[in-house]
Amino acid sequence: SGCGEEPFNPSVLGTREHWDAAYERELQTFQDIGDAGEIWFGEESMTRIIRWLEKQKVPLDSSVLDIGTGNGVLLVELARSGYTNLTGIDYSPSAIQLSEKVREKEGMSHIKLKVEDFLAPSAELSGFEICIDKGTYDAISLNPDNAVGKRKQYVRSLCSVLKPEGFFLITSCNWTKEELLNEFREGFEILEELPTPKFCFGGRIGNSVTALVFQRKK
């Protein structure tokens, strides 16, 4: 992949209809039993992000955008760790309804939540010091309708919402480190790779999850 050909088969996981339906189900479940649903890439993926922010001594009032926030649980964990300027966006209204309910249950009224399509961000979505993506870029990559164009638009959107020298933390299970370096080569430089669980298959050790920190160039 990487020569303009599509590395993945398109999938319903790349469609808004799928996520609307999924979050409508999770919303109902939350109303019934108070369970916020699954955490993408597990608890450790949130810990890994928060640890990095703490290690970098990122100020607690830095503006943070969670791209494709889903149930908003990552934002709740960030708020618990003391971060105060948090925004979550999702193109699925059901996801934002769910994350609003999770926010209320946790008493985190200062978390800002908006229905926004990251590929067509509104003007007020700008000036963020940190952007976080856990699985959203993966989903966009599976869109049956012009995934290559949507990936390019994602990078453009990221450049418009993230301040120069701001940090972008991405967690992916579809892309290798090398592929992500290529995808984000325009406008971004790699700062570090975060440790993720390794799996062993047929004697070869690989990573099922890649987590990278980029910095937007000046």
Side-chain angles (χ1 to χ4, degrees), residues 54-180:
E54 287 172 345
K55 190 185 84 180
Q56 291 297 311
K57 300 189 168 54
V58 168
L60 293 174
D61 62 352
S62 301
S63 51
V64 178
L65 178 65
D66 185 18
I67 300 165
T69 196
N71 58 17
V73 170
L74 172 60
L75 292 171
V76 167
E77 289 303 314
L78 284 163
R80 282 198 184 123
S81 300
Y83 293 89
T84 56
N85 191 351
L86 301 169
T87 301
I89 60 166
D90 204 291
Y91 71 4
S92 167
S94 317
I96 293 299
Q97 272 183 289
L98 175 60
S99 51
E100 283 169 349
K101 288 200 162 15
V102 171
R103 171 182 73 180
E104 281 153 34
K105 181 187 174 192
E106 301 292 341
M108 303 286 189
S109 58
H110 62 284
I111 295 174
K112 296 184 276 295
L113 297 164
K114 296 177 186 165
V115 177
E116 283 258 11
D117 180 355
F118 190 66
L119 299 184
S122 64
E124 67 253 30
L125 213 65
S126 69
F128 286 93
E129 289 155 290
I130 292 137
C131 287
I132 300 173
D133 180 322
K134 226 155 53 66
T136 299
Y137 191 72
D138 283 355
I140 286 169
S141 307
L142 298 170
N143 192 295
D145 177 31
N146 187 17
V148 171
K150 285 184 165 64
R151 296 199 321 255
K152 290 196 170 84
Q153 180 54 51
Y154 182 104
V155 178
R156 284 196 292 273
S157 294
L158 190 59
C159 285
S160 77
V161 305
L162 184 62
K163 279 183 171 173
E165 301 193 292
F167 299 122
F168 172 54
L169 290 84
I170 181 168
T171 306
S172 167
C173 62
N174 284 355
W175 298 88
T176 64
K177 177 185 177 182
E178 287 66 34
E179 287 168 334
L180 287 170

Side-chain angles (χ1 to χ4, degrees), residues 16-57:
R16 191 179 312 208
E17 293 76 16
H18 168 82
W19 295 110
D20 278 340
Y23 283 114
E24 271 160 34
R25 283 195 304 274
E26 294 207 352
L27 189 56
Q28 192 57 53
T29 304
F30 185 78
Q31 283 163 333
D32 292 345
I33 62 169
D35 175 19
E38 81 177 288
I39 295 168
W40 277 80
F41 303 108
E43 297 271 353
E44 65 174 335
S45 64
M46 300 195 294
T47 309
R48 190 185 305 127
I49 289 164
I50 291 166
R51 249 194 224 128
W52 187 85
L53 294 172
E54 287 172 345
K55 190 185 84 180
Q56 291 297 311
K57 300 189 168 54

